[in-house]
Amino acid sequence: MDDGLTEEVKEHRKTQYAIHPLLLNRWSPRSMTGESMSDAELMPLFEAARWAPSSNNAQLWRFVYARRQSKFWEAFLDLLVEGNKVWAQHAAALVVITSGMFFEQGDQPADTHAFDAGAAWENFALEGARRGFVVHGMQGFDYDKARRTLGVPERYAVLAMAAVGKRASGESLPAHLLKREFPSGRRPLNEIVLEGRFG
Ligand SMILES: Cc1cc2nc3c(=O)[nH]c(=O)nc-3n(C[C@H](O)[C@H](O)[C@H](O)COP(=O)(O)O)c2cc1C
């Protein structure tokens, strides 16, 4: 039966209830070809992010990016810890995801800014995965250096980075990463969904 799942996802991911294949087909490969991506390939991912919901429709997320052929590339790559650099150096683009911690009018804290930016990031990742690209989130980078290098204002939080690129077969990866190049599983539903009270 054609359930819309990729072969690798079919092999590694089992759901407790049927959900849309888009959600399961997104995962975080590391192996990329080192090719660049055109605007026509890259910008639809930001377009998808743009349509995420946010509190007050404030859209406080800001994506700062560098493409591999640009003058900004080396500075972005230099933000990453070695363990990420080793594979993310083959990406087509590196993205730093930031979001405003206060609403733009006045100084009222935007309590859900990170929640909203997370929704935008997932849209970005889903659209990228749907188009067959690698979209891989990263916490392994120097947050302070990112703020300084990119000129991120104090009102904005630096949340995460992402590597985006064209997928390659895993052989180019070091052995310890090749071993992990498959879709991961998840905790069972009863561990994360709690009726009435926490615990
Ligand atoms: C915010 C965030 C930070 C992450 N940081 C890293 C990282 O620094 N290095 C890395 O290799 N993977 C990183 N990951 C990938 C996660 O390990 C991965 O998403 C998780 O294991 C679930 O697997 P899946 O995305 O393939 O479904 C990160 C993912 C997210 C969402």
Side-chain angles (χ1 to χ4, degrees), residues 13 24 26-30 80-81 83-84 87 121 135-141 143 159-161 177 180 182-186:
R13 293 190 154 168
L24 291 169
R26 184 220 59 80
W27 64 285
S28 304
R30 292 187 176 82
L80 298 177
V81 298
N84 282 333
W87 56 269
W121 142 256
V135 182
H136 196 128
M138 292 178 291
Q139 180 179 5
F141 70 98
Y143 279 67
L159 297 179
M161 284 185 72
L177 292 180
R180 296 165 59 190
F182 63 87
S184 56
R186 289 298 185 268

Side-chain angles (χ1 to χ4, degrees), residues 5-6 9-10 13-15 17-27 126 183-184 186:
L5 297 175
T6 62
V9 165
K10 232 180 267 184
R13 293 190 154 168
K14 304 287 170 237
T15 57
Y17 296 90
I19 58 171
H20 199 282
L22 174 73
L23 303 169
L24 291 169
N25 285 341
R26 184 220 59 80
W27 64 285
L126 288 173
S184 56
R186 289 298 185 268

Side-chain angles (χ1 to χ4, degrees), residues 114-183:
F115 183 84
D116 299 347
W121 142 256
E122 178 69 349
N123 273 13
F124 181 89
L126 288 173
E127 186 62 35
R130 189 183 78 77
R131 289 165 183 266
F133 297 123
V134 169
V135 182
H136 196 128
M138 292 178 291
Q139 180 179 5
F141 70 98
D142 186 329
Y143 279 67
D144 291 335
K145 194 169 166 190
R147 180 180 291 285
R148 290 195 306 275
T149 308
L150 279 54
V152 179
E154 279 301 312
R155 287 172 67 92
Y156 284 77
V158 175
L159 297 179
M161 284 185 72
V164 183
K166 298 197 177 171
R167 220 175 142 191
S169 63
E171 285 93 64
S172 61
L173 290 173
H176 72 284
L177 292 180
L178 185 54
K179 273 199 304 212
R180 296 165 59 190
E181 191 75 347
F182 63 87

